[in-house]
Amino acid sequence: MKLEKNPFIDGPVVEGDDYCQRRKMEERILAKLESGHNLALIGDRRIGKTSTAHHVIDGMRGNHKVDIDFYHVMDSSDIAEAIIDACKRVLDKVWDSKKVLDFASRLSPKLEVSESGGLSLGVAAQGQEYKKTLNVAFEFLEETIKRTNGKVIILFDEFQAIKEVKNGDAILKYMRGKIQKFPRISFMYVGSIRHEMDHIFRDQTSPFYKQAEIIYFEHIEADEFYEFISERFQNKKIALKREVYDYLYQICYGITGDIQTFCRVAFDSLEKSMTLDFEAFFDVLDIIYKNEQKYFKGVLEGKDLTKIQKNLLIQLAPLQAQENIKLFGKDFQKVIGVKSPGAVTNALNALEKKEYVYKSDEKYFFANPFFKEWVLDHRFLIHATAGTLSAGSAISGTRLDFGYRQRMIKVVK
Ligand SMILES: Nc1ncnc2c1ncn2[C@@H]1O[C@H](COP(=O)(O)OP(=O)(O)OP(=O)(O)O)[C@@H](O)[C@H]1O
Ligand SMILES: [Mg+2]
Protein backbone atom coordinates (compact mmCIF):
# COMPACT_ATOMS: atom_id res chain seq x y z
CA MET A 1 0.00 0.00 0.00
CA LYS A 2 1.29 3.42 -0.88
CA LEU A 3 1.84 5.51 2.23
CA GLU A 4 0.62 9.07 1.96
CA LYS A 5 3.33 11.59 2.68
CA ASN A 6 2.37 13.53 5.78
CA PRO A 7 1.71 17.12 4.66
CA PHE A 8 1.84 18.58 8.18
CA ILE A 9 5.10 20.09 9.33
CA ASP A 10 5.52 21.06 12.93
CA GLY A 11 8.99 22.19 13.74
CA PRO A 12 11.13 23.77 11.09
CA VAL A 13 10.50 27.03 9.32
CA VAL A 14 7.86 26.44 6.63
CA GLU A 15 8.06 27.71 3.07
CA GLY A 16 6.53 27.17 -0.37
CA ASP A 17 3.42 24.97 -0.31
CA ASP A 18 3.91 24.28 3.37
CA TYR A 19 3.38 27.94 4.18
CA CYS A 20 -0.14 29.21 4.80
CA GLN A 21 -0.64 32.82 3.72
CA ARG A 22 -1.12 35.37 6.50
CA ARG A 23 -2.02 38.31 4.34
CA LYS A 24 -2.76 40.91 6.99
CA MET A 25 0.43 40.25 8.89
CA GLU A 26 2.52 40.04 5.73
CA GLU A 27 1.16 43.33 4.42
CA ARG A 28 1.93 45.14 7.63
CA ILE A 29 5.50 43.85 7.67
CA LEU A 30 6.04 44.54 3.99
CA ALA A 31 4.80 48.09 4.25
CA LYS A 32 7.34 48.86 6.96
CA LEU A 33 10.23 47.23 5.16
CA GLU A 34 9.41 48.87 1.84
CA SER A 35 9.41 52.27 3.41
CA GLY A 36 12.86 51.58 4.83
CA HIS A 37 11.84 51.25 8.47
CA ASN A 38 13.51 49.09 11.04
CA LEU A 39 11.13 46.58 12.49
CA ALA A 40 10.85 44.48 15.64
CA LEU A 41 8.58 41.48 15.23
CA ILE A 42 7.57 40.19 18.63
CA GLY A 43 5.35 37.21 19.37
CA ASP A 44 4.68 33.99 21.22
CA ARG A 45 6.67 30.84 20.63
CA ARG A 46 5.88 28.64 17.62
CA ILE A 47 3.38 31.15 16.30
CA GLY A 48 5.17 31.51 12.93
CA LYS A 49 7.36 34.61 13.22
CA THR A 50 10.44 33.21 11.50
CA SER A 51 8.50 31.64 8.63
CA THR A 52 6.58 34.84 7.91
CA ALA A 53 9.68 37.04 8.22
CA HIS A 54 11.44 34.94 5.57
CA HIS A 55 8.34 34.71 3.41
CA VAL A 56 7.99 38.49 3.27
CA ILE A 57 11.67 39.26 2.69
CA ASP A 58 12.04 36.53 0.05
CA GLY A 59 9.07 38.01 -1.79
CA MET A 60 10.71 41.45 -2.06
CA ARG A 61 12.27 41.15 -5.45
CA GLY A 62 15.75 42.52 -6.01
CA ASN A 63 16.63 42.37 -2.34
CA HIS A 64 19.19 40.17 -0.66
CA LYS A 65 18.60 38.75 2.80
CA VAL A 66 21.27 38.63 5.45
CA ASP A 67 19.86 35.91 7.65
CA ILE A 68 21.43 36.10 11.11
CA ASP A 69 20.22 33.62 13.71
CA PHE A 70 21.14 34.19 17.35
CA TYR A 71 19.55 30.96 18.51
CA HIS A 72 22.08 29.38 20.89
CA VAL A 73 24.61 32.23 20.97
CA MET A 74 26.63 31.93 24.16
CA ASP A 75 29.19 34.70 23.86
CA SER A 76 30.28 37.63 21.72
CA SER A 77 32.31 35.48 19.33
CA ASP A 78 29.18 33.38 18.60
CA ILE A 79 27.37 36.62 17.80
CA ALA A 80 30.22 37.75 15.55
CA GLU A 81 30.35 34.40 13.78
CA ALA A 82 26.60 34.36 13.21
CA ILE A 83 26.86 37.74 11.49
CA ILE A 84 29.96 36.80 9.47
CA ASP A 85 28.39 33.53 8.37
CA ALA A 86 25.22 35.25 7.17
CA CYS A 87 27.17 37.95 5.34
CA LYS A 88 29.44 35.44 3.67
CA ARG A 89 26.44 33.58 2.27
CA VAL A 90 25.31 36.79 0.55
CA LEU A 91 28.81 37.86 -0.51
CA ASP A 92 29.48 34.49 -2.11
CA LYS A 93 26.50 35.18 -4.37
CA VAL A 94 27.34 38.72 -5.43
CA TRP A 95 31.12 38.59 -5.42
CA ASP A 96 33.94 36.25 -6.38
CA SER A 97 34.37 33.87 -3.44
CA LYS A 98 38.15 34.15 -3.67
CA LYS A 99 37.80 37.88 -3.19
CA VAL A 100 35.59 37.27 -0.18
CA LEU A 101 38.39 35.23 1.40
CA ASP A 102 40.96 37.88 0.45
CA PHE A 103 38.82 40.49 2.12
CA ALA A 104 38.44 38.27 5.21
CA SER A 105 42.19 37.70 5.43
CA ARG A 106 42.85 41.43 5.75
CA LEU A 107 40.70 41.75 8.88
CA SER A 108 41.92 41.59 12.41
CA PRO A 109 41.51 39.53 14.58
CA LYS A 110 42.25 36.77 12.10
CA LEU A 111 39.57 34.46 10.83
CA GLU A 112 40.14 30.81 10.17
CA VAL A 113 38.88 29.14 7.02
CA SER A 114 37.47 25.65 7.45
CA GLU A 115 37.71 22.94 4.78
CA SER A 116 34.18 23.66 3.70
CA GLY A 117 35.04 27.33 3.19
CA GLY A 118 33.30 28.60 6.34
CA LEU A 119 34.85 31.31 8.47
CA SER A 120 35.33 31.29 12.19
CA LEU A 121 37.22 33.25 14.76
CA GLY A 122 40.41 31.42 15.60
CA VAL A 123 41.02 30.25 19.15
CA ALA A 124 43.31 33.20 19.79
CA ALA A 125 40.68 35.65 18.57
CA GLN A 126 37.91 34.19 20.70
CA GLY A 127 39.36 35.51 23.87
CA GLN A 128 39.49 39.04 22.46
CA GLU A 129 37.27 41.57 24.06
CA TYR A 130 33.84 41.78 22.48
CA LYS A 131 34.47 45.06 20.63
CA LYS A 132 37.29 43.58 18.58
CA THR A 133 35.39 40.44 17.65
CA LEU A 134 32.23 42.33 16.80
CA ASN A 135 34.16 44.88 14.81
CA VAL A 136 35.19 42.16 12.33
CA ALA A 137 31.55 41.16 12.00
CA PHE A 138 30.45 44.70 11.23
CA GLU A 139 33.22 45.14 8.68
CA PHE A 140 31.67 42.15 6.97
CA LEU A 141 28.23 43.67 7.19
CA GLU A 142 29.46 46.94 5.75
CA GLU A 143 31.10 45.13 2.84
CA THR A 144 27.91 43.16 2.23
CA ILE A 145 25.85 46.33 2.12
CA LYS A 146 28.35 47.89 -0.26
CA ARG A 147 28.53 44.89 -2.60
CA THR A 148 24.75 44.60 -2.80
CA ASN A 149 24.40 48.35 -3.44
CA GLY A 150 22.31 48.60 -0.31
CA LYS A 151 19.65 46.28 -1.72
CA VAL A 152 19.57 44.18 1.36
CA ILE A 153 17.43 43.43 4.41
CA ILE A 154 19.21 42.43 7.58
CA LEU A 155 17.26 39.88 9.60
CA PHE A 156 18.22 39.13 13.19
CA ASP A 157 16.30 36.13 14.51
CA GLU A 158 16.05 35.28 18.24
CA PHE A 159 17.46 38.74 18.84
CA GLN A 160 16.63 38.66 22.56
CA ALA A 161 19.29 35.98 23.06
CA ILE A 162 21.89 38.76 23.28
CA LYS A 163 20.44 39.67 26.67
CA GLU A 164 21.61 36.31 28.03
CA VAL A 165 25.19 36.75 26.84
CA LYS A 166 27.95 38.09 29.08
CA ASN A 167 28.21 41.86 28.57
CA GLY A 168 24.84 41.66 26.77
CA ASP A 169 23.85 45.26 27.48
CA ALA A 170 27.25 46.59 26.41
CA ILE A 171 27.07 44.50 23.24
CA LEU A 172 23.64 45.94 22.45
CA LYS A 173 24.99 49.42 22.91
CA TYR A 174 27.95 48.72 20.67
CA MET A 175 25.70 47.23 17.98
CA ARG A 176 23.33 50.19 18.11
CA GLY A 177 26.26 52.49 17.37
CA LYS A 178 27.28 50.40 14.37
CA ILE A 179 23.77 49.94 13.00
CA GLN A 180 23.06 53.65 13.14
CA LYS A 181 25.69 54.11 10.47
CA PHE A 182 23.39 52.45 7.94
CA PRO A 183 20.33 54.70 7.99
CA ARG A 184 19.03 53.54 4.62
CA ILE A 185 19.08 49.84 5.39
CA SER A 186 16.14 48.02 6.94
CA PHE A 187 16.95 45.91 9.94
CA MET A 188 14.40 43.41 11.14
CA TYR A 189 14.60 42.01 14.65
CA VAL A 190 12.56 38.91 15.45
CA GLY A 191 12.13 37.55 18.95
CA SER A 192 10.00 35.15 20.88
CA ILE A 193 10.32 36.07 24.50
CA ARG A 194 8.00 38.94 24.61
CA HIS A 195 9.02 40.87 27.67
CA GLU A 196 12.71 40.72 26.84
CA MET A 197 12.06 42.00 23.33
CA ASP A 198 9.77 44.63 24.80
CA HIS A 199 12.51 45.63 27.16
CA ILE A 200 15.07 45.98 24.36
CA PHE A 201 12.84 48.17 22.17
CA ARG A 202 10.56 49.93 24.65
CA ASP A 203 12.60 50.61 27.72
CA GLN A 204 13.94 54.14 27.77
CA THR A 205 17.25 53.00 29.20
CA SER A 206 17.85 50.44 26.47
CA PRO A 207 20.25 51.29 23.61
CA PHE A 208 17.63 50.03 21.13
CA TYR A 209 14.86 52.21 22.55
CA LYS A 210 12.79 53.47 19.59
CA GLN A 211 15.28 51.95 17.14
CA ALA A 212 12.58 49.91 15.46
CA GLU A 213 8.84 49.98 14.98
CA ILE A 214 7.19 47.17 16.85
CA ILE A 215 4.74 44.74 15.34
CA TYR A 216 3.17 42.18 17.63
CA PHE A 217 2.72 38.97 15.73
CA GLU A 218 -0.89 37.87 15.75
CA HIS A 219 -2.46 34.43 15.72
CA ILE A 220 -3.15 32.99 12.33
CA GLU A 221 -6.60 33.78 10.90
CA ALA A 222 -8.81 30.86 11.92
CA ASP A 223 -10.68 30.72 8.58
CA GLU A 224 -7.58 30.82 6.37
CA PHE A 225 -5.85 28.17 8.41
CA TYR A 226 -8.94 25.95 8.41
CA GLU A 227 -8.92 25.94 4.61
CA PHE A 228 -5.20 25.25 4.50
CA ILE A 229 -5.45 22.33 6.90
CA SER A 230 -8.63 20.84 5.41
CA GLU A 231 -7.00 20.82 2.00
CA ARG A 232 -4.07 18.83 3.33
CA PHE A 233 -6.29 16.32 5.08
CA GLN A 234 -7.93 15.78 1.71
CA ASN A 235 -4.70 14.02 0.58
CA LYS A 236 -6.08 11.14 2.63
CA LYS A 237 -9.72 12.05 2.04
CA ILE A 238 -10.12 12.92 5.72
CA ALA A 239 -12.91 15.42 6.40
CA LEU A 240 -12.13 17.83 9.21
CA LYS A 241 -15.26 19.06 10.96
CA ARG A 242 -15.26 22.78 11.49
CA GLU A 243 -16.35 22.58 15.12
CA VAL A 244 -13.54 20.15 15.86
CA TYR A 245 -11.05 22.51 14.24
CA ASP A 246 -12.42 25.41 16.26
CA TYR A 247 -11.97 23.42 19.44
CA LEU A 248 -8.41 22.46 18.45
CA TYR A 249 -7.62 26.10 17.67
CA GLN A 250 -8.92 27.09 21.08
CA ILE A 251 -7.05 24.51 23.15
CA CYS A 252 -3.83 25.33 21.27
CA TYR A 253 -4.45 29.05 21.91
CA GLY A 254 -4.22 29.57 18.13
CA ILE A 255 -0.53 28.66 18.04
CA THR A 256 0.22 27.53 14.50
CA GLY A 257 2.99 25.08 15.35
CA ASP A 258 0.90 23.22 17.95
CA ILE A 259 -2.14 22.94 15.69
CA GLN A 260 0.19 21.44 13.08
CA THR A 261 1.51 18.93 15.65
CA PHE A 262 -2.01 17.66 16.27
CA CYS A 263 -2.70 17.44 12.54
CA ARG A 264 0.53 15.56 11.87
CA VAL A 265 -0.40 12.89 14.41
CA ALA A 266 -4.00 12.79 13.16
CA PHE A 267 -2.92 12.35 9.55
CA ASP A 268 -0.69 9.40 10.47
CA SER A 269 -3.15 7.68 12.75
CA LEU A 270 -6.56 8.14 11.11
CA GLU A 271 -7.77 5.80 8.41
CA LYS A 272 -8.35 7.01 4.88
CA SER A 273 -11.73 8.66 4.18
CA MET A 274 -12.52 9.14 7.86
CA THR A 275 -14.31 12.08 9.34
CA LEU A 276 -12.33 13.94 11.97
CA ASP A 277 -15.18 14.39 14.43
CA PHE A 278 -14.93 14.74 18.21
CA GLU A 279 -14.59 11.04 18.74
CA ALA A 280 -11.63 10.83 16.37
CA PHE A 281 -10.28 14.03 17.88
CA PHE A 282 -10.08 12.53 21.36
CA ASP A 283 -8.54 9.35 19.98
CA VAL A 284 -5.77 11.42 18.42
CA LEU A 285 -5.33 13.34 21.65
CA ASP A 286 -4.89 9.98 23.40
CA ILE A 287 -2.11 9.07 20.99
CA ILE A 288 -0.36 12.36 21.71
CA TYR A 289 -0.71 11.63 25.44
CA LYS A 290 0.76 8.16 24.95
CA ASN A 291 3.74 9.60 23.11
CA GLU A 292 4.38 12.25 25.71
CA GLN A 293 2.97 10.77 28.91
CA LYS A 294 6.36 9.73 30.20
CA TYR A 295 7.56 13.31 29.98
CA PHE A 296 4.37 14.75 31.51
CA LYS A 297 4.52 12.36 34.44
CA GLY A 298 8.22 13.02 34.78
CA VAL A 299 7.53 16.72 35.23
CA LEU A 300 4.95 16.17 37.96
CA GLU A 301 6.92 13.44 39.69
CA GLY A 302 10.47 14.57 39.09
CA LYS A 303 12.71 17.01 40.85
CA ASP A 304 12.83 19.84 38.32
CA LEU A 305 9.86 21.55 39.99
CA THR A 306 9.13 22.14 43.65
CA LYS A 307 5.85 20.92 45.11
CA ILE A 308 4.48 24.45 45.05
CA GLN A 309 5.45 24.89 41.39
CA LYS A 310 3.80 21.56 40.52
CA ASN A 311 0.62 22.56 42.34
CA LEU A 312 0.62 25.88 40.57
CA LEU A 313 1.03 24.23 37.18
CA ILE A 314 -1.91 21.93 37.88
CA GLN A 315 -4.04 24.88 39.01
CA LEU A 316 -3.18 26.92 35.95
CA ALA A 317 -4.38 24.27 33.52
CA PRO A 318 -8.11 25.03 33.75
CA LEU A 319 -7.64 28.79 33.95
CA GLN A 320 -7.46 29.46 30.24
CA ALA A 321 -9.67 32.50 30.34
CA GLN A 322 -8.11 33.81 33.53
CA GLU A 323 -10.25 36.90 33.30
CA ASN A 324 -12.07 36.75 36.56
CA ILE A 325 -9.53 34.73 38.36
CA LYS A 326 -7.57 36.46 41.02
CA LEU A 327 -4.39 34.49 40.59
CA PHE A 328 -2.99 35.88 43.76
CA GLY A 329 -6.07 35.71 45.94
CA LYS A 330 -6.09 34.00 49.31
CA ASP A 331 -7.99 30.94 48.08
CA PHE A 332 -5.56 30.41 45.28
CA GLN A 333 -2.60 30.73 47.60
CA LYS A 334 -4.09 28.16 49.91
CA VAL A 335 -4.64 25.63 47.16
CA ILE A 336 -1.08 25.78 45.95
CA GLY A 337 0.31 25.88 49.45
CA VAL A 338 1.78 29.35 49.90
CA LYS A 339 1.00 32.22 52.21
CA SER A 340 1.62 35.36 50.19
CA PRO A 341 1.02 36.74 46.69
CA GLY A 342 4.79 37.19 46.40
CA ALA A 343 5.28 33.45 46.74
CA VAL A 344 2.83 32.89 43.86
CA THR A 345 4.80 35.36 41.76
CA ASN A 346 8.05 33.57 42.56
CA ALA A 347 6.60 30.22 41.57
CA LEU A 348 5.16 31.67 38.34
CA ASN A 349 8.53 33.21 37.51
CA ALA A 350 10.25 29.89 38.11
CA LEU A 351 7.77 28.08 35.84
CA GLU A 352 8.32 30.72 33.19
CA LYS A 353 12.09 30.55 33.45
CA LYS A 354 11.99 26.78 33.14
CA GLU A 355 9.74 27.31 30.10
CA TYR A 356 6.72 25.34 31.27
CA VAL A 357 4.58 28.45 30.90
CA TYR A 358 4.88 31.76 29.13
CA LYS A 359 3.20 35.07 29.72
CA SER A 360 1.29 36.91 27.06
CA ASP A 361 -1.07 39.86 27.58
CA GLU A 362 -0.83 39.42 31.34
CA LYS A 363 -2.01 35.82 31.14
CA TYR A 364 -0.09 32.62 31.62
CA PHE A 365 -0.18 29.86 29.04
CA PHE A 366 1.24 26.37 28.97
CA ALA A 367 4.22 26.18 26.62
CA ASN A 368 2.92 22.77 25.61
CA PRO A 369 -0.89 22.93 25.28
CA PHE A 370 -1.11 19.13 25.15
CA PHE A 371 0.48 18.98 28.57
CA LYS A 372 -2.28 21.30 29.76
CA GLU A 373 -4.94 19.04 28.24
CA TRP A 374 -3.32 16.02 29.82
CA VAL A 375 -3.37 17.70 33.23
CA LEU A 376 -7.03 18.61 32.70
CA ASP A 377 -7.95 15.07 31.77
CA HIS A 378 -6.08 13.60 34.68
CA ARG A 379 -6.60 16.27 37.25
CA PHE A 380 -8.96 14.36 39.50
CA LEU A 381 -6.38 11.68 39.90
CA ILE A 382 -3.54 14.16 40.13
CA HIS A 383 -5.43 16.03 42.82
CA ALA A 384 -5.89 12.86 44.78
CA THR A 385 -2.16 12.37 44.80
CA ALA A 386 -1.14 16.02 44.91
CA GLY A 387 -0.18 15.79 48.55
CA THR A 388 2.20 13.01 47.77
CA LEU A 389 3.53 14.25 44.48
CA SER A 390 7.12 13.30 44.63
CA ALA A 391 9.56 11.22 42.68
CA GLY A 392 8.22 7.74 42.27
CA SER A 393 4.54 8.38 43.10
CA ALA A 394 2.17 6.92 40.58
CA ILE A 395 -0.07 8.95 38.33
CA SER A 396 -2.09 6.60 36.23
CA GLY A 397 -5.52 6.35 34.73
CA THR A 398 -6.85 7.42 31.39
CA ARG A 399 -8.89 10.30 30.14
CA LEU A 400 -11.75 7.92 29.54
CA ASP A 401 -12.05 7.50 33.27
CA PHE A 402 -11.55 11.03 34.37
CA GLY A 403 -12.18 13.88 32.02
CA TYR A 404 -13.50 12.53 28.79
CA ARG A 405 -17.22 12.36 29.32
CA GLN A 406 -17.50 15.67 31.09
CA ARG A 407 -15.65 17.37 28.35
CA MET A 408 -17.57 15.67 25.58
CA ILE A 409 -20.82 16.80 27.18
CA LYS A 410 -19.55 20.35 27.42
CA VAL A 411 -18.41 20.38 23.81
CA VAL A 412 -21.46 18.79 22.30
CA LYS A 413 -23.88 21.04 24.20
N1 LIG B 1 2.47 30.35 7.75
C1 LIG B 1 2.46 29.13 8.26
N2 LIG B 1 1.77 28.13 7.66
C2 LIG B 1 1.74 26.90 8.16
N3 LIG B 1 2.36 26.54 9.29
C3 LIG B 1 3.07 27.47 9.95
C4 LIG B 1 3.16 28.81 9.46
N4 LIG B 1 3.93 29.50 10.30
C5 LIG B 1 4.30 28.66 11.28
N5 LIG B 1 3.79 27.43 11.08
C6 LIG B 1 3.95 26.26 11.96
O1 LIG B 1 4.63 26.68 13.14
C7 LIG B 1 5.91 26.04 13.25
C8 LIG B 1 6.92 27.04 13.76
O2 LIG B 1 7.11 28.08 12.82
P1 LIG B 1 8.22 29.22 13.00
O3 LIG B 1 9.53 28.58 13.34
O4 LIG B 1 8.15 30.09 11.83
O5 LIG B 1 7.64 29.96 14.28
P2 LIG B 1 8.38 30.93 15.31
O6 LIG B 1 7.33 31.82 15.86
O7 LIG B 1 9.54 31.56 14.66
O8 LIG B 1 8.85 29.87 16.40
P3 LIG B 1 9.98 30.03 17.55
O9 LIG B 1 9.29 30.67 18.71
O10 LIG B 1 10.37 28.61 17.84
O11 LIG B 1 11.09 30.84 16.98
C9 LIG B 1 6.20 25.50 11.86
O12 LIG B 1 7.00 24.34 11.88
C10 LIG B 1 4.80 25.17 11.38
O13 LIG B 1 4.36 23.97 11.95
MG1 LIG C 1 11.57 31.62 15.19
Side-chain angles (χ1 to χ4, degrees), residues 12-31:
V13 168
V14 285
E15 53 184 13
D17 279 349
D18 297 323
Y19 178 89
C20 172
Q21 300 285 329
R22 312 177 86 148
R23 280 179 230 288
K24 259 168 54 191
M25 209 64 239
E26 291 161 17
E27 276 164 20
R28 280 178 67 193
I29 295 168
L30 187 62

Side-chain angles (χ1 to χ4, degrees), residues 381-397:
L381 192 72
I382 293 169
H383 269 309
T385 57
T388 56
L389 272 180
S390 62
S393 71
I395 298 171
S396 56

Side-chain angles (χ1 to χ4, degrees), residues 207-237:
F208 274 82
Y209 176 60
K210 289 202 172 165
Q211 291 298 302
E213 293 192 30
I214 298 175
I215 290 186
Y216 289 109
F217 203 83
E218 283 164 17
H219 294 121
I220 199 157
E221 288 271 338
D223 290 345
E224 278 179 50
F225 204 38
Y226 175 63
E227 254 177 58
F228 176 89
I229 284 181
S230 297
E231 212 181 289
R232 272 140 196 85
F233 271 125
Q234 273 309 309
N235 294 358
K236 215 172 158 179
K237 306 243 173 333

Side-chain angles (χ1 to χ4, degrees), residues 5 8 31 107 189 198 204 274 288:
K5 190 174 170 290
F8 296 104
L107 301 172
Y189 309 93
D198 268 346
Q204 290 194 33
M274 261 184 82
I288 295 177

Side-chain angles (χ1 to χ4, degrees), residues 159-258:
F159 189 66
Q160 81 287 338
I162 297 185
K163 291 287 277 182
E164 300 294 316
V165 168
K166 187 176 161 221
N167 292 323
D169 286 330
I171 290 172
L172 279 175
K173 196 167 168 197
Y174 179 84
M175 286 180 64
R176 205 278 311 264
K178 290 286 185 187
I179 288 169
Q180 270 184 335
K181 292 189 185 136
F182 311 115
R184 273 185 237 283
I185 307 296
S186 285
F187 286 79
M188 183 164 175
Y189 309 93
V190 178
S192 49
I193 303 174
R194 186 175 278 203
H195 52 258
E196 288 195 359
M197 283 293 280
D198 268 346
H199 186 260
I200 294 173
F201 292 97
R202 293 180 54 178
D203 194 309
Q204 290 194 33
T205 60
S206 163
F208 274 82
Y209 176 60
K210 289 202 172 165
Q211 291 298 302
E213 293 192 30
I214 298 175
I215 290 186
Y216 289 109
F217 203 83
E218 283 164 17
H219 294 121
I220 199 157
E221 288 271 338
D223 290 345
E224 278 179 50
F225 204 38
Y226 175 63
E227 254 177 58
F228 176 89
I229 284 181
S230 297
E231 212 181 289
R232 272 140 196 85
F233 271 125
Q234 273 309 309
N235 294 358
K236 215 172 158 179
K237 306 243 173 333
I238 292 170
L240 171 63
K241 289 224 160 198
R242 177 66 198 229
E243 61 266 35
V244 171
Y245 166 81
D246 286 338
Y247 187 64
L248 173 66
Y249 191 97
Q250 180 213 323
I251 67 164
C252 290
Y253 324 115
I255 299 287
T256 330
D258 295 322

Side-chain angles (χ1 to χ4, degrees), residues 9-14 18-20 22 44-51 158 192 225 228 256-257 260:
I9 297 182
D10 67 330
V13 168
V14 285
D18 297 323
Y19 178 89
C20 172
R22 312 177 86 148
D44 298 337
R45 45 163 287 292
R46 275 163 67 80
I47 197 171
K49 304 172 296 293
T50 303
S51 301
E158 302 289 345
S192 49
F225 204 38
F228 176 89
T256 330
Q260 286 252 27

